Amino acid sequence: MKLLEGKVALITGGSRGIGAAIALRFAQQGADVAFTYHSSEEKAKAVEAELAAQGIKAKAYRSDAASYAAAEALINVVLEDFGRLDVLVNNAGITQDTLMLRMTEEQWDRVIETNLKSVFNLTKYALRPMMKNKGGAIINMSSVVGITGNAGQANYAASKAGIFGFTKSIAKEMGSRNIRCNAVAPGFIETDMTHVLDEKTKEAYLQAIPLKRLGRAEEVADLCVFLGSELATYISGQVISVCGGMTT
Ligand code: NAP
């Protein structure tokens, strides 16, 4: 028996990086997978085909996670297409790094809206179908930067720390409905998001990682499989790091 057999999952930002790895791992574990992207249509179509090759139902949707109206429309169309929703992974995220003295209002707003408001948007509309199913799992992608802070990432760190409070509150509000809500805090994972960092910054991160290597997107995805599965039915309101020991 596969770990996610019979479940329908929605993953935001599934066209690349960690989200694409989660989508594939979910499909390999038998889940039907709906996922979103913002602009990478070609990549999304390629992921969709890769998922369908696992013998499950898969569909990519173009949808801006930062938009409240788009979240409602998305959940409605996913319910029409898939019939139910068991697992929501709020993964979509961006960085717009700069020091505080140079940060513009637009850079602050765009990162908070994409990384934090999106979690509100999707959770808001996912709760009703989950209540109807008498259960569900919500997994919010945060970051170790939400725990530690990081110079040049005040907007990003604030968005990721905000996810902690949101996650714990939803866990408390929705626990009696058998809806679990957890946050995952990856460390330094090899994706497009970290490829843009210069060698000096990467070397500094490596020094701070006990396992002395960057993480792989699949290693984050494996935790999401666990949290979305029946192996984690008594785990809610937690922040779990996947960081090679970085925040220890
Ligand atoms: P990535 O490779 O840059 O991929 C980001 C994904 O999010 C893409 O699928 C992108 O879609 C999607 N996205 C961006 N803005 C969106 C929007 N407004 N609406 C819908 N989708 C949107 O990033 P990643 O490294 O995989 O990161 C995934 C998550 O993990 C993020 O929340 C990030 O903050 C978090 N994280 C990453 C690391 C790391 O080291 N990589 C560490 C800690 C936390 P398009 O392809 O269409 O642009």
Side-chain angles (χ1 to χ4, degrees), residues 196-213:
V196 296
L197 298 175
D198 59 67
E199 285 309 314
K200 212 173 136 204
T201 311
K202 284 187 188 173
E203 194 46 46
Y205 274 120
L206 276 178
Q207 289 307 320
I209 301 170
L211 284 177
K212 296 294 169 213
R213 65 171 177 85

Side-chain angles (χ1 to χ4, degrees), residues 12-20 35-41 43-44 61-67 90-95 110 113-115 118 141-145 156 159-160 163 184-194 197 215 217 220:
T12 63
S15 47
R16 294 184 283 127
I18 293 171
F35 72 91
T36 68
Y37 63 98
H38 189 235
S39 51
S40 314
E41 179 141 24
K43 286 183 179 161
Y61 302 86
R62 182 178 207 140
S63 181
D64 182 357
S67 160
N90 284 308
N91 165 78
I94 56 166
T95 49
R110 191 62 200 158
E113 282 167 15
T114 304
N115 297 5
S118 61
M141 200 56 64
S142 181
S143 165
V144 292
V145 165
Y156 183 77
S159 72
K160 296 303 188 181
I163 285 178
V184 171
F188 190 2
I189 311 298
E190 271 186 279
T191 67
D192 293 347
M193 190 175 269
T194 46
L197 298 175
V220 180

